[in-house]
Amino acid sequence: MIPRPDPTLETLVLNMGPQHPSTHGVLRVVLKLDGEYVLEAHPVIGYGHRMHEKMGEVRNVSGFYANVGRMDYAGALSFGHGHVLAVERMLGIEVPPRAEYIRVITTELNRIASHLLWFGAFLLDLGAFTPILYSFDDREYILDLLEHVTGARLTFSYFRVGGVNRDLDERFIQGTRVFIRRMRSRFEVYHKLVTGNVIFRKRVEGVGVISPDMIRKYGATGPVARGSGIPYDIRRVEPYSVYSEFDFDIPTFPEGDCFARYRVRLAEMEQSLRIVEQALDRLPDGPVMVEKVPKKLKLGPGEVYQAVEAARGELGYYLVGDGTDVPYRLKIRPPSYSNLSLLNELAEGVLLADLVAIMGSLDLVIPEIDR
Amino acid sequence: MIRYFREIFEGLWSLLVGLKVTGRFALAPTVTTHYPFDELEVTPNYRGHIDLVVNPKTGKDKCIVCMMCQRACPSGCITVKGQKPEGAKKRVLTEYRLDFTKCSLCGNCVEACPTSAIEFSHEYNIAGTSRHDFHYDLVERFRDRCRTLGVEPKIADLTPVATKPKPEREKTESQGDRKPDG
Ligand code: SF4
Ligand code: SF4
């Protein structure tokens, strides 16, 4: 229930958003405040609803390629990955190994870009302006690399059922190697500039502690779950694509506060770099697309659920086919939706300024929640 | 008591460490490009709106008016029309309209084209004052591009082909009867 103002009580009902700078998009949170303390926080969603799921039911599979990137504009490739994997699983298509490696390389680069965007935006929420300039400098390198191979900077629509639509070239591979070296040296800058900073530490340590029970109760995933000590990562617990061939860690921090989530994401970027490096070293030759993909992709009858690890957590596609080339149902389980759902319980009794830090640390992407 | 002072000292020190980073980067060369005085080079793979491929030698297009692109487009932005010149066997392209306001740059049209008759342009400096500015007539653009390349455009050429006389029958194909809105 959204709280209504009550003149007999000494509480204040305050709208945060839908155009609040710290909600990163059109999220509205109705707050009930007692002074500076939050009593209740009710997220109101739907401002960015664009009927992506419905479009999935009226368009054929290739018509939906453009939609997946629009849901999560920060980590568009993981959304594309889940979509094509679900369809491929339903149709039993074997993707050439080179294509799968390319998917992993680009998705991991995209994950780093997404975390860098989060890094900048989160600190911006906390009032630190300069870090975003550093992180966007690095992010720019990734976007240039991805633009070179996919042709777009944000909404890539690069993955196709049966492969990817363009092969990697030498320039991308060399550029990525240079980037890996550069990025490794940049973490030190981030740690010096931000991680050790006393003001930052005071604002995030011990703030917004999420217990593992709460994570399980609300089904939160991704860095939010790993920041509470739950080593749940789809790449490890339910390996898809070629992730089982790489050697990487799942960073977890048990504290459960905003600082733990921050450290999870920074550590994850390093792991993603490791994956990219290994994948580049072992990149097999061969085609990047299955030879014969039927023009009309007849889906089903049947159903599949395919989960992938997006930058924000578990992303699931539940695809039901009825024998035609248009899905009967395409349900999407976006990670941010579940991560946002714990906000009300989490916000009880915190300071208003801390709520901004908590929401920032959840890394919400609103179009993905609203779909 | 000692802890209190140590905390203060460590806090101040962490700020100094951060300031040192700031100082180092303040003296480093700029990483940004001063647009519009400088411009970045666009990668050859950039996906702008679509354009018809020009054969730079003959000034011809490659379209066979098969309508695959129009059918592949999930947003319905493409309108293709063709006509058979008198006496010819194949249709020639007479009209290719792109409603760029609806295009999601998915690339399905380019992939669907059997003759690779369309490509992505590299235009990114696109701005307009009304949405009609984005209803492109690609045939017109084709002619302009031919002229900049210095070839005579040979598109939508409906001059009758001299073959053995046939009963007069001109057929206008109009599968693409979607009007540009507005
Ligand atoms: S890129 Fe996609 S949306 Fe744009 S015209 Fe081609 S098929 Fe249509
Ligand atoms: S798919 Fe290619 S050849 Fe066919 S109508 Fe479109 S542009 Fe012309």
Side-chain angles (χ1 to χ4, degrees):
Chain A
M1 258 297 286
I2 295 174
R4 302 255 163 245
D6 185 349
T8 57
L9 293 173
E10 296 218 335
T11 55
L12 174 74
V13 173
L14 185 73
N15 251 323
M16 188 166 162
Q19 280 140 343
H20 194 271
S22 80
T23 55
H24 304 291
V26 277
L27 172 68
R28 174 175 161 220
V29 186
V30 182
L31 303 171
K32 196 168 167 189
L33 299 174
D34 180 5
E36 278 249 34
Y37 290 91
V38 178
L39 299 177
E40 289 170 31
H42 293 270
V44 183
I45 60 170
Y47 290 91
H49 178 54
R50 285 176 290 176
M51 297 191 286
H52 283 300
E53 285 187 8
K54 186 67 201 168
M55 279 194 237
E57 290 170 26
V58 294
R59 292 175 165 193
N60 60 11
V61 171
S62 61
F64 201 65
Y65 291 149
N67 287 63
V68 287
R70 265 89 183 162
M71 278 184 274
D72 181 355
Y73 47 81
L77 283 172
S78 341
F79 270 66
H81 205 176
H83 177 232
V84 292
L85 281 176
V87 176
E88 279 157 8
R89 209 158 111 187
M90 182 168 254
L91 298 174
I93 295 178
E94 271 291 321
V95 180
R98 186 176 171 89
E100 275 300 357
Y101 270 74
I102 293 176
R103 285 179 183 177
V104 167
I105 293 170
T106 47
T107 311
E108 290 306 318
L109 283 176
N110 199 201
R111 186 188 313 277
I112 301 173
S114 168
H115 283 348
L116 284 172
L117 172 71
W118 164 83
F119 175 86
F122 176 51
L123 287 151
L124 215 50
D125 289 349
L126 296 177
F129 183 76
T130 37
I132 194 171
L133 303 175
Y134 292 85
S135 74
F136 267 48
D137 182 10
D138 292 329
R139 183 171 171 265
E140 194 61 30
Y141 275 81
I142 303 181
L143 293 189
D144 280 347
L145 287 169
L146 290 179
E147 182 187 17
H148 180 64
V149 53
T150 68
R153 294 170 70 79
L154 216 55
T155 47
F156 305 103
S157 61
Y158 176 50
F159 299 159
R160 297 284 182 263
V161 171
V164 295
N165 75 355
R166 192 184 277 128
D167 200 356
L168 301 185
D169 60 2
E170 216 26 59
R171 183 168 146 194
F172 175 86
I173 294 173
Q174 291 313 326
T176 311
R177 287 196 192 281
V178 172
F179 170 75
I180 292 174
R181 242 174 288 136
R182 171 198 156 90
M183 192 66 209
R184 290 221 162 108
S185 68
R186 296 281 287 193
F187 287 121
E188 195 205 327
V189 174
Y190 291 159
H191 288 309
K192 274 191 181 157
L193 192 68
V194 180
T195 316
N197 187 297
V198 60
I199 307 169
F200 171 71
R201 294 287 277 267
K202 289 253 184 271
R203 292 222 41 201
V204 292
E205 267 178 328
V207 170
V209 179
I210 308 175
S211 66
D213 280 343
M214 216 163 129
I215 296 279
R216 291 199 190 92
K217 192 162 115 196
Y218 289 100
T221 48
V224 178
R226 294 193 283 275
S228 296
I230 300 178
Y232 184 74
D233 188 317
I234 307 285
R235 289 175 293 175
R236 186 52 56 77
V237 297
E238 218 180 287
Y240 55 94
S241 192
V242 285
Y243 277 110
S244 51
E245 295 174 21
F246 303 120
D247 176 26
F248 62 100
D249 302 326
I250 307 294
T252 54
F253 290 89
E255 293 87 0
D257 55 0
C258 293
F259 189 50
R261 292 191 277 282
Y262 165 88
R263 282 199 292 175
V264 165
R265 292 203 177 89
L266 280 194
E268 250 179 42
M269 285 196 251
E270 290 178 47
Q271 298 305 323
S272 291
L273 285 180
R274 269 177 73 189
I275 298 177
V276 174
E277 197 170 37
Q278 291 170 45
L280 279 180
D281 287 342
R282 290 191 227 149
L283 186 66
D285 284 330
V288 293
M289 194 75 190
V290 177
E291 293 247 318
K292 262 213 151 3
V293 183
K295 268 259 156 62
K296 245 189 165 173
L297 300 163
K298 287 244 159 55
L299 300 168
E303 52 182 47
V304 291
Y305 177 77
Q306 175 70 49
V308 295
E309 184 71 24
R312 270 152 281 281
E314 173 176 349
L315 161 72
Y317 280 93
Y318 177 59
L319 176 69
V320 184
D322 58 357
T324 61
D325 63 336
V326 180
Y328 175 75
R329 178 81 171 96
L330 184 65
K331 160 86 183 117
I332 300 151
R333 184 236 185 257
S336 291
Y337 184 83
S338 309
N339 293 357
L340 174 69
S341 62
L342 46 74
L343 185 71
N344 193 8
E345 190 176 327
L346 192 60
E348 216 180 299
V350 303
L351 282 166
L352 181 54
D354 287 345
L355 185 71
V356 174
I358 292 171
M359 280 184 14
S361 75
L362 293 178
D363 190 11
L364 305 169
V365 166
I366 311 304
E368 170 203 310
I369 298 172
D370 294 339
R371 302 197 292 298
Chain B
M1 190 66 178
I2 290 177
R3 234 186 71 212
Y4 176 76
F5 281 111
R6 208 178 60 207
E7 240 175 56
I8 290 183
F9 178 74
E10 278 176 3
L12 284 176
W13 182 248
S14 76
L15 296 184
L16 282 181
V17 170
L19 265 182
K20 208 176 126 207
V21 174
T22 314
R24 181 149 68 84
F25 280 92
L27 300 175
T30 18
V31 292
T32 47
T33 307
H34 292 258
Y35 185 84
F37 307 111
D38 277 332
E39 274 183 37
L40 286 177
E41 199 191 318
V42 180
T43 150
N45 296 340
Y46 180 74
R47 292 205 312 252
H49 68 76
I50 52 168
D51 247 340
L52 291 163
V53 174
V54 181
N55 183 334
K57 289 211 184 74
T58 59
K60 278 189 183 155
D61 64 303
K62 294 208 257 172
C63 180
I64 53 170
V65 205
C66 66
M67 306 285 169
M68 289 300 276
C69 51
Q70 188 177 325
R71 240 174 281 145
C73 179
S75 321
C77 352
I78 299 176
T79 314
V80 186
K81 281 184 192 166
Q83 219 172 50
K84 251 188 213 171
E86 223 171 290
K89 287 229 174 62
K90 288 185 202 143
R91 278 182 281 166
V92 298
L93 180 72
T94 53
E95 194 179 328
Y96 200 117
R97 289 185 184 281
L98 170 70
D99 183 355
F100 194 49
T101 54
K102 291 193 275 181
C103 174
S104 48
L105 295 173
C106 61
N108 284 352
C109 48
V110 175
E111 270 162 53
C113 182
T115 59
S116 309
I118 36 181
E119 62 184 351
F120 296 111
S121 71
H122 293 166
E123 267 178 49
Y124 62 95
N125 274 327
I126 309 176
T129 48
S130 99
R131 69 194 151 107
H132 303 294
D133 294 352
F134 302 103
H135 296 168
Y136 296 129
D137 183 349
L138 295 192
V139 173
E140 216 28 70
R141 274 183 63 88
F142 184 92
R143 293 206 177 98
D144 289 344
R145 280 162 61 229
C146 277
R147 281 180 206 118
T148 47
L149 284 173
V151 282
E152 191 52 38
K154 288 210 189 67
I155 191 170
D157 186 3
L158 287 175
T159 42
V161 181
T163 39
K164 49 191 156 57
K166 261 174 141 186
E168 199 177 301
R169 197 170 109 236
E170 194 190 79
K171 214 165 113 197
T172 311
E173 304 289 333
S174 56
Q175 278 101 318
D177 50 2
R178 198 177 286 110
K179 285 198 199 78
D181 58 345

